[in-house]
Amino acid sequence: VPDAALRCRYVLCEVVSEDPRCRQCIEDRAVGLAVRDAIGRVHGDFGLACCSISFTVKYLNAYTGTVLLRCRKDSYRLLCSALPFVRQLESRNQRYPCFLNTLHVGGTIRTCQKFLIEYNRRQLLMLLQSCTNEEERRCVQKSLLSCSLTEEQCLSGNEDDDDDGTDTD
Amino acid sequence: MALSEQAGAAASFERRVLRSAGEHHYLRVRLELPDGGARPNVAQFKQLVVSALKELHGEVGAALPVDVLTYEEKTLSAILRVVSSGLVKLWSALTLLGFYQNRRCAFRVLQTSPFLLALAGNSRELVLD
């Protein structure tokens, strides 16, 4: 269990873009660079250096556009206030406009995972309501009934250094 | 904050701000340009201060309400006013500014006070006969 000085915050956000080709830019290096660039613009050298301690992209899912960022507890406000200033993702010389929607800020990966499962369940319910044919309806219903948090599911490998059980302030 | 907690956090820095000390802080500063050259006018001086804030603290820092109350081009000294919550950002930005138009420069902060009248007297410049 890390002591108070090493506690981190995990920011869960989703990448929203009108251009479907933006999905191919959702990779850890591109997203990390875009977020760092935004922090540098909004909070300057000091903010960039503060947030870069223990900053990393912990998890991302290109299909749903979900991104999980980690930063120090002292600088999560700098990070969260800079996220609306991310305007585009760039990867392999391709750039596409997008924006980041902050979904949840948690103290551990586990709380973010629990939130994400509930959030995805609600998104699937909304999709179910907008289904146009029976085939789609059956697929979505099947996915809905199968989502749950089991012990085998792990977002990105080891949680041993991150799980301290505290929640957000 | 209890005294025992202060003793525990021995290495951390703490700055106490009094609510009643007013909403602005005033700084008397002097810009040093050791390599000579053209002196900035008041607009260029303010631009320099804002660009220093922008470099260290980004767009948020550059948006800090800073006013140049007086400016003397001859001595390159000025009185700046800043909201009290932004004093640390302004002072740190002035400290770390190194260049003006590719010339070396340095900001010296001569006096600071939450009261403008306090900047009128300076015991360092007192001449004793």
Side-chain angles (χ1 to χ4, degrees), chain A residues 51-63:
Chain A
C51 292
S52 288
I53 308 175
S54 289
F55 172 77
T56 181
V57 178
K58 264 307 204 182
Y59 163 80
L60 47 77
N61 183 331
Y63 298 108

Side-chain angles (χ1 to χ4, degrees), chain A residues 120-145:
Chain A
N120 284 340
R121 191 198 300 263
R122 271 178 278 143
Q123 294 294 96
L124 280 175
L125 273 171
M126 286 189 338
L127 272 179
L128 185 64
Q129 281 165 359
S130 62
C131 270
T132 49
N133 61 31
E134 195 51 41
E135 175 68 40
E136 276 178 29
R137 204 175 285 273
R138 256 184 283 129
C139 276
V140 175
Q141 269 176 337
K142 190 154 154 279
S143 317
L144 267 173
L145 292 169

Side-chain angles (χ1 to χ4, degrees), chain A residues 10 49 69 75 98 111 114:
Chain A
Y10 294 88
L69 307 166
S75 50
C98 67
T111 58
K114 281 196 238 178

Side-chain angles (χ1 to χ4, degrees), chain A residues 50-112:
Chain A
C50 254
C51 292
S52 288
I53 308 175
S54 289
F55 172 77
T56 181
V57 178
K58 264 307 204 182
Y59 163 80
L60 47 77
N61 183 331
Y63 298 108
T64 57
T66 305
V67 176
L68 183 65
L69 307 166
R70 178 189 72 180
C71 69
R72 278 283 162 96
K73 185 173 156 180
D74 299 330
S75 50
Y76 86 94
R77 287 187 187 276
L78 293 173
L79 172 60
C80 287
S81 58
L83 288 181
F85 292 84
V86 174
R87 285 191 296 256
Q88 60 184 23
L89 286 182
E90 185 173 341
S91 162
R92 289 173 235 119
N93 285 329
Q94 306 262 17
R95 55 176 75 109
Y96 299 103
C98 67
F99 68 89
L100 296 187
N101 219 1
T102 304
L103 301 175
H104 186 248
V105 178
T108 59
I109 295 189
R110 197 168 193 77
T111 58
C112 289

